[in-house]
Each structure stands twice: as structure tokens, then as C-alpha cells.
Amino acid sequence: MRKTIFSGVQPSGQITLGNYLGALKNWTKLLDEYNCIFAVMDLHSITVRQDPKELRERSLKLLAQYIACGLDPEKCTHFIQSHVPAHAQLSWVLGCYTYMGELNRMTQFKEKSQRHADNINAGLYTYPVLMAADILLYNADLVPVGHDQKQHLEIARDIAERFNSLYGDTFTVPDPFIGKVGARIMDLQDPTKKMSKSEPAGSISLLEDENTILKKIKKAVTDSLGYVKYEEGRHGINNLLSIYCSVTGKSVDMAEKEFEGKGYGDFKKAVAEVVIDELRPVQQKYNQLIENQDYLMKIIEDGAFKANEIAQKTLKDVYEKVGFIV
Ligand code: TRP
């Protein structure tokens, strides 16, 4: 039996080079080994206000970006979260097995309620319960998560274990999936922070045009040492080296040798070139896909069908166990 990997991304903006190199690109290598489910988490995204028209567009754009990055729909399941009602249904049940004390500890909730102080809604608070439902519905064995989602995966595990100990084996307790070397790509302007779509100057989006990529990399913060070598504390240079190595597959040693005696100008140009070459086919594929809405709609229709089948089974089991008439 193949193990199941589940992951989701919110349709809340652009995928960055950091997401691509740190996550998506690595996920494509899992398709033959695992049963992969990658979903567009639109229910999660309305915890902060969204423009309805934009949200709809971004959901399809995200799907097109998934596929353009190599997450072949022939080999994995893609669906839109709101197309599978069991997410909301299981979320309600699990919410009754989650303590407020647990939710109060979530650092992302604390951080988001500061950022959206005018809209601290209940959805923002119960978001980790919905995320637990996402994962547990599919009996996912593994969930690739970044650092910011670790706590949410922890709570999903706790909820699963609690439910299992009350009602007998029901859910698979999911483990975090730690990729081999999912590069952690940092902000180009502040390389001590993770690259994030909310900082356009320091981040490169998957769909960025060549000139902008070149400009942004040229402007990337470095230091005054003047040589290209991976060294403790040289955040800017280290980050550019990680980008270069992660795109080309070269080792840091090889890259350092390649740029021996060269200045930052040459180095940055080389980094920009490999990034542009890497993203070009992805962008071409994306442009084709986004023109072909019928195809995209077909993918999510098929995906929702498959996802509903699995999710319904889990939900039925849960409903029976808690005492609903099914
Ligand atoms: N909360 C995740 C994020 O913001 C997205 C997400 C929702 C998710 N449900 C999930 C990720 C289930 C993994 C598994 O990045």
C-alpha cells in the first residue's frame, strides 16, 4: 500500500520562488512513490476578507500553477476544498473534541489577530480544526509543512489521537513530511526572513517576468566582503547560493569554485539567469493552462469526485462512532 501525502495551499496570492524551490518542486518527485493529494484551500482563505471575484480567479490560477510546476493531474489528485462538503462537516465534529486552551496557544492565530485586529473572527480561531479535518479525512500518513504550520499539524495529531482513544481506531495519525533538502529561500531584501509573497520587493513570484527577476536579484542585499562563499552570518550571499544550488542541483562547493575570483555582479547575473531559465517552461505551461479553463474545470471536477469518495467514507465512520443515525 502506498502512503498518502496530503497538502494544501491557500489561494491567497502568488506562489513564490521560495514555495517552488522549498516545496512544489520537491513534491513532483513524490508522485510515483506516494498517493498524492494537493488541494486548493479556499475555505481557509476567507478567514481574512477576500474579493469574491479575485478569490475565484486565484483558485484556478493556483491550480494552474500546481500543474505547471509538474504536479501532473494524471498522477495526483487536485481538488478545491469547498467542493468537498465533508471538510466543513468533519470540522464541526472535531471542533467538539478540541479545547479552547489548545487553540489559544496557536501562534499563528495570535499573530493574525494582531494583523487583522478589525476582524478577529471565529473562523480565524477555529482554522486549525478545519486543517485537522482536511488531513484526517484522507487518512494522510504524511503532510509536508513549513515551519509556520508545524503547530497546526501537532494539533491535528492530538485531535486524531484523542478521537481514536475515545472511539477506537478511526484516523491515521499524520506525520510531518520532511523533504530531503527543501531549500529554505529567504527574502532578497531582508535575508534573515523567509521569502514571502507579502513582501514583493524581496520575493520573486513564479509568474514574474524576466526583467523583474533580473532587477530583483541584482538589487538583492549582500555584504561588503566581495567574494562568493557560504559562510556563517552572510545571509544575503548564502541565500543567493542556496537559490543557485537548488535550481541547478550543484553543490555549494561546486558553486563556490565556479565563482572564485568573480564579483557579486557576475554572480547575481548567473543566479538570475538560472532562475529565469528554470521558470520559463513553468510560465509557458501556466500560460497555456490558464487559457484552457475547460481543462482546469475538468481536473477539479474529477478531483472533487475522487476526494468526495474518500472523504465520505471517513465522515460516515465518524458520524456512526459519535452516534448519529447514518
Ligand atoms: N494552513 C495551510 C497554510 O496556510 C494551508 C492548509 C490548509 C494545509 N489545510 C491544510 C496545509 C492541510 C497542509 C494540510 O499554509
Side-chain angles (χ1 to χ4, degrees), residues 96-99 159-170 321-322:
C96 300
Y97 296 83
T98 307
Y99 298 107
I159 296 170
E161 276 167 359
R162 182 170 308 141
F163 197 95
N164 286 349
S165 73
L166 283 167
Y167 299 101
D169 220 13
T170 310
K321 285 184 167 145
V322 299

Side-chain angles (χ1 to χ4, degrees), residues 8 14 31 36 48 106 113 120 124 152 169 189 227 301 310:
Q14 298 284 350
L31 299 181
C36 293
V48 299
M106 296 293 117
S113 27
I120 306 177
L124 200 59
H152 293 161
D169 220 13
Q189 288 302 313
Y227 58 90
E301 217 175 279
I310 308 171

Side-chain angles (χ1 to χ4, degrees), residues 6-8 10 41 44 127 131 134-135 143 149:
F6 182 96
S7 193
Q10 290 190 53
M41 302 327 235
H44 278 91
Y127 174 117
M131 183 159 158
D134 301 336
I135 298 166
V143 182
Q149 296 298 321

